[in-house]
Amino acid sequence: MTHTDNRTKRRVLHREIAGTIGLLADDHDFRAMRRYRSFTFDDHATYLKHVESLLRTRALQGSHTTVALFDPEEYAHFCTRKDLDPDKPSSRSRFTAQIAATGPTLPYDGRPLADLLPALVDEAVRQATWEYATTLLARLGACASCGEDIGRAAFTRAAELLVRILDTAPPGDRHLVCSVTGPPETLVAALHITDDGAALELDESEALEFTTVLALGLATESPGGLVIRATTPGTPDRVYGWRMRSYGLEPLTAGEVFDAYCTDVESGDLISPESNVDYCAPPDLGEEKPARGHQH
């Protein structure tokens, strides 16, 4: 009887242990791991089936599992730094524990792995974008004239602009996209906001990333823009936006918004406008035109 009680207690404790699975997202990463003899899978599709089966089993047992992206190149560097044998499962476990604490993860919520994986990749891109934009802002340093931190001042201004944009938007859900063009690549951040009629709901991580990318565009006066799509039940969606100019936002005309949405980016050909969508000029943000560059 005592032995049975002990096994029951261990099962209860097992359900309370949170776990993380490091997932090889694509064939390229999978092939890179096959160099290790202790990694016994032969093909990526079979590997994903086993991962999904394990996730479902843990969920049925009442265990909480998070999924993280396993990068073989980062894993090799990790093993070199920690003086670990990369061909041991224990080394992979230690690396997975680290990325669970520092990298992008998503909780397994029962959805098919085919749906969870793209969401996990999107989360990784979001985090990388935020980290890169934050690094660039930090490198701007202090203003030579007044000593103020340029990146911090730009972030404050970006946050103020975001509040004004949301305050002047029509009621309903809002989807915002901010893009900043510059070497070596274009940074894009998106923010989705739900309006239940009583309050606005948003993801704080998304908002932080969005504000950081907007701040980078303002601080560096890089080419860029911000567009918003407001969706209200029973009425056409409203789409409008601004281009970044002189440490602020300059409204796009309705025609410019229409051209942006109805032109193929790669070919330049016109594409049909969406039905039940109004392409319009943005509302007044209620601020005077800012001075060019960093403000003192």
Side-chain angles (χ1 to χ4, degrees):
M1 184 66 176
T2 301
H3 181 64
T4 301
D5 288 344
N6 287 337
R7 283 192 302 177
T8 300
K9 292 175 182 177
R10 282 195 296 269
R11 282 197 297 269
V12 171
L13 286 175
H14 179 74
R15 289 197 297 270
E16 296 183 9
I17 298 175
T20 302
I21 292 179
L23 184 63
L24 297 165
D26 54 39
D27 286 328
H28 179 269
D29 289 345
F30 180 83
R31 288 195 300 271
M33 288 303 294
R34 291 200 64 202
R35 77 183 78 167
Y36 305 119
R37 288 181 297 176
S38 61
F39 186 76
T40 57
F41 291 96
D42 295 323
D43 67 272
H44 193 224
T46 301
Y47 160 80
L48 291 177
K49 288 180 181 178
H50 281 279
V51 170
E52 187 157 24
S53 177
L54 176 60
L55 289 169
R56 288 175 176 170
T57 299
R58 285 180 54 83
L60 289 172
Q61 293 172 345
S63 298
H64 175 79
T65 311
T66 56
V67 182
L69 289 178
F70 193 105
D71 187 317
E73 186 174 341
E74 291 184 5
Y75 171 63
H77 292 323
F78 172 81
C79 290
T80 299
R81 292 196 309 270
K82 300 293 185 180
D83 194 25
L84 299 174
D85 181 356
D87 204 2
K88 285 187 175 180
S90 58
S91 299
R92 293 197 287 274
S93 296
R94 287 185 59 176
F95 177 69
T96 300
Q98 174 177 287
I99 59 178
T102 60
T105 62
L106 286 179
Y108 176 68
D109 53 10
R111 77 179 104 168
L113 200 56
D115 296 333
L116 182 65
L117 187 53
L120 182 59
V121 172
D122 287 345
E123 183 69 19
V125 171
R126 276 180 47 197
Q127 180 167 320
T129 298
W130 172 74
E131 290 175 350
Y132 182 64
T134 300
T135 299
L136 293 182
L137 277 177
R139 288 177 180 173
L140 295 176
C143 175
S145 298
C146 69
E148 184 177 19
D149 186 289
I150 296 175
R152 186 175 296 112
F155 187 90
T156 299
R157 170 141 178 80
E160 292 171 350
L161 284 172
L162 179 58
V163 170
R164 286 175 177 166
I165 289 170
L166 297 180
D167 284 346
T168 57
D173 296 345
R174 303 99 189 258
H175 185 73
L176 294 82
V177 177
C178 178
S179 62
V180 175
T181 303
E185 58 185 312
T186 297
L187 296 182
V188 179
L191 176 62
H192 183 71
I193 299 171
T194 302
D195 183 1
D196 63 2
L200 300 180
E201 295 184 5
L202 55 81
D203 183 285
E204 292 184 0
S205 296
E206 275 191 5
L208 176 60
E209 178 205 338
F210 188 93
T211 307
T212 304
V213 171
L214 176 57
L216 181 64
L218 296 174
T220 59
E221 297 193 28
S222 299
L226 189 158
V227 293
I228 177 172
R229 182 174 186 138
T231 302
T232 305
T235 64
D237 288 1
R238 295 186 63 189
V239 178
Y240 54 87
W242 301 262
R243 65 171 58 87
M244 294 184 193
R245 287 288 188 274
S246 302
Y247 210 62
L249 298 175
E250 179 181 284
L252 295 172
T253 66
E256 288 173 326
V257 176
F258 180 89
D259 289 343
Y261 271 80
C262 301
T263 303
D264 186 274
V265 176
E266 295 183 359
S267 67
D269 295 335
L270 292 178
I271 55 179
S272 299
E274 293 183 64
S275 61
N276 206 37
V277 173
D278 285 342
Y279 303 96
C280 50
D284 185 2
L285 295 182
E287 66 163 7
E288 295 188 12
K289 187 176 181 179
R292 182 173 180 81
H294 175 64
Q295 300 178 60
H296 301 287

